[in-house]
Amino acid sequence: MFKKTLLSVLLSSLMLGSSMAEESNNSLEAEEISPIKQCDEQYTKCADVCGDYSLPNPCLEQCQKLADQCYNNVLSENEEESESAEDEVE
């Protein structure tokens, strides 16, 4: 029970931290670290909390889902930026 609560708190804080970093354009750290690297770091922090790295591990699976969502967000943002840049050129 405690592990599930801890995992829920961790995942919530990671998601909140991720959204806050995306919203903050004034943050030097957000500008210096690539979005993909931020996703990698989120996964690493989450996995460190999970402890046991043997699979199947529901905690690690949740970390992977969170990382996959982060990667998908980065890719969709890049596609949107590319499309808007193409529209400006035309």
Side-chain angles (χ1 to χ4, degrees):
M1 181 70 181
F2 177 72
K3 247 185 169 179
K4 289 182 180 179
T5 304
L6 181 62
L7 177 61
S8 297
V9 170
L10 172 71
L11 292 176
S12 297
S13 66
L14 286 173
M15 291 172 67
L16 178 62
S18 172
S19 64
M20 288 174 58
E22 290 174 3
E23 291 174 7
S24 173
N25 291 333
N26 296 332
S27 173
L28 289 176
E29 183 177 332
E31 291 176 4
E32 292 176 3
I33 299 175
S34 74
I36 296 293
K37 186 160 177 131
Q38 287 177 340
C39 295
D40 292 343
E41 288 178 359
Q42 285 179 355
Y43 175 81
T44 302
K45 288 178 185 177
C46 182
D48 286 344
V49 172
C50 293
D52 182 17
Y53 294 108
S54 63
L55 293 176
N57 182 337
C59 181
L60 288 176
E61 290 172 12
Q62 285 290 60
C63 294
Q64 187 60 49
K65 287 179 184 177
L66 181 66
D68 290 343
Q69 182 181 10
C70 182
Y71 295 133
N72 289 336
N73 289 343
V74 168
L75 291 174
S76 66
E77 287 175 8
N78 287 343
E79 287 176 5
E80 289 174 7
E81 289 176 7
S82 295
E83 289 175 2
S84 65
E86 289 174 6
D87 290 343
E88 289 177 9
V89 171
E90 292 176 0

